[in-house]
Amino acid sequence: MNQYAVWGNPIAQSKSPRIHQLFAEQTQKSLNYSAKLGDEQDFETQLKQFFADGAKGANITAPFKERTFDLADVHSEACLQAEACNTLKHLEDGRLYADNTDGLGLVSDLKRLGWLNPNQHILILGAGGATKGVLYPLLQAKQQITLYNRTPEKAVSLAEKFAKFGKIQTAYLDEIADETFDLIINATSLGLQGKYVELPRQLMIQANIYDMQYAVNMNTPFLQYARSQGAKSVQDGLGMLVGQASYAFQLWEDILPNVEPVLERLKQEMNK
């Protein structure tokens, strides 16, 4: 039976084991997928031992994505651009292949929602690791991106790095007040502290609103704020989570599972 795991710290809250169990049932694959608590000091040793014991692959979450990138032997293009790894595959020759499926997970979820059309104007809030992980696939999908970050220098640095892949710029909050966006994506971690970026109301009521974080009944702080501002179309990142997992599963088991039934099952279980 193929062995897989998700590594992070903390990790008890992870939905990945449940997602991959449902994928395995759907595709009639026999595998074991567990959650592993990575040690801040000894993570690399733990991971190497995990593969030495015969594991076939792993998912990586905070705070180890960058450290895993450095540990891998081979990287996908998406992984190279993100400079962070969320999926590892143990190759037959013993090398570790690193991928980053976060961006594909986002793009596939936006397609599922009907929210991804060519040459859309997208405003992304934040310029940290979450944003860096999705810019390459979004630009490959012909999206026009504006980055806003509280620290402008970080946004400028990202825009310069990804400019070769498509249309990307940065802006201050007062500069975007009069603009029109098709989609606004929250990629900040402010929701973990119960906070959010406040935007002009006219931006919120005319755009689709997407939060990479997720919560029961889509009640993330940012989406609660968006609704209070009159936003009509809001969505959390649960579909992105299931989407990125589906591409990891495909990398390991050579079959792309159907996201929709797994997503609906998760929603039912979360909202009980």
Side-chain angles (χ1 to χ4, degrees):
M1 186 179 292
N2 288 344
Q3 300 291 321
Y4 304 102
V6 57
W7 289 82
N9 188 342
I11 199 60
Q13 81 291 349
S14 176
K15 300 199 178 302
S16 292
R18 180 60 175 147
I19 292 170
H20 284 277
Q21 177 190 6
L22 292 171
F23 285 163
E25 292 172 2
Q26 180 192 120
T27 59
Q28 298 182 316
K29 294 282 188 175
S30 179
L31 57 85
N32 182 58
Y33 188 110
S34 57
K36 303 282 189 182
L37 181 66
D39 182 88
E40 289 278 5
Q41 277 71 48
D42 209 28
F43 169 68
E44 285 79 3
T45 302
Q46 288 179 308
L47 194 62
K48 287 177 181 177
Q49 188 59 52
F50 177 67
F51 284 109
D53 290 341
K56 298 293 185 181
N59 286 132
I60 310 295
T61 188
F64 300 122
K65 290 185 179 183
E66 288 81 10
R67 287 168 65 172
T68 304
F69 177 87
D70 293 333
L71 193 67
D73 304 295
V74 192
H75 303 80
S76 70
E77 184 65 25
C79 192
L80 286 172
Q81 298 309 323
E83 296 179 341
C85 164
N86 80 332
T87 304
L88 279 176
K89 180 178 182 178
H90 197 234
L91 301 177
E92 290 186 4
D93 61 9
R95 294 180 301 165
L96 288 179
Y97 175 80
D99 200 356
N100 191 312
T101 64
D102 286 332
L104 278 177
L106 173 62
V107 167
S108 67
D109 199 40
L110 294 175
K111 287 179 179 177
R112 180 186 68 85
L113 295 165
W115 287 10
L116 195 74
N117 300 301
N119 301 310
Q120 285 188 145
H121 290 264
I122 299 180
L123 174 63
I124 300 182
L125 309 175
T131 298
K132 200 174 183 180
V134 301
L135 284 179
Y136 177 70
L138 284 174
L139 290 168
Q140 292 289 102
K142 307 300 182 190
Q143 304 303 293
Q144 299 179 37
I145 296 173
T146 298
L147 297 179
Y148 166 73
N149 193 60
R150 287 176 300 174
T151 309
E153 294 78 14
K154 288 188 69 177
V156 169
S157 177
L158 269 192
E160 289 175 348
K161 171 180 167 61
F162 284 91
K164 60 188 174 184
F165 298 115
K167 294 181 179 178
I168 182 169
Q169 63 181 7
T170 64
Y172 293 99
L173 208 49
D174 58 351
E175 293 175 332
I176 60 177
D178 297 324
E179 292 196 36
T180 301
F181 294 97
D182 301 292
L183 174 65
I184 297 174
I185 299 175
N186 176 41
T188 74
S189 58
L190 290 173
L192 299 176
Q193 296 97 46
K195 301 176 182 178
Y196 49 82
V197 177
E198 293 189 24
L199 295 173
R201 186 172 185 272
Q202 66 267 26
L203 288 183
M204 306 294 280
I205 61 177
Q206 63 196 8
N208 292 320
I209 309 294
Y210 193 99
D211 193 346
M212 285 194 194
Q213 296 181 349
Y214 62 89
V216 174
N217 293 320
M218 297 197 295
N219 282 325
T220 68
F222 183 67
L223 294 186
Q224 290 181 46
Y225 166 68
R227 291 189 192 100
S228 76
Q229 296 299 299
K232 299 297 189 293
S233 301
V234 301
Q235 190 69 44
D236 72 0
L238 189 64
M240 175 181 172
L241 177 71
V242 179
Q244 63 80 25
S246 72
Y247 288 105
F249 191 92
Q250 181 185 41
L251 180 65
W252 300 327
E253 295 287 335
D254 297 318
I255 184 170
L256 183 65
N258 185 359
V259 162
E260 200 72 51
V262 174
L263 183 55
E264 289 308 309
R265 184 74 171 271
L266 278 183
K267 288 178 182 176
Q268 292 170 12
E269 294 174 359
M270 285 173 63
N271 297 337
K272 279 183 180 177

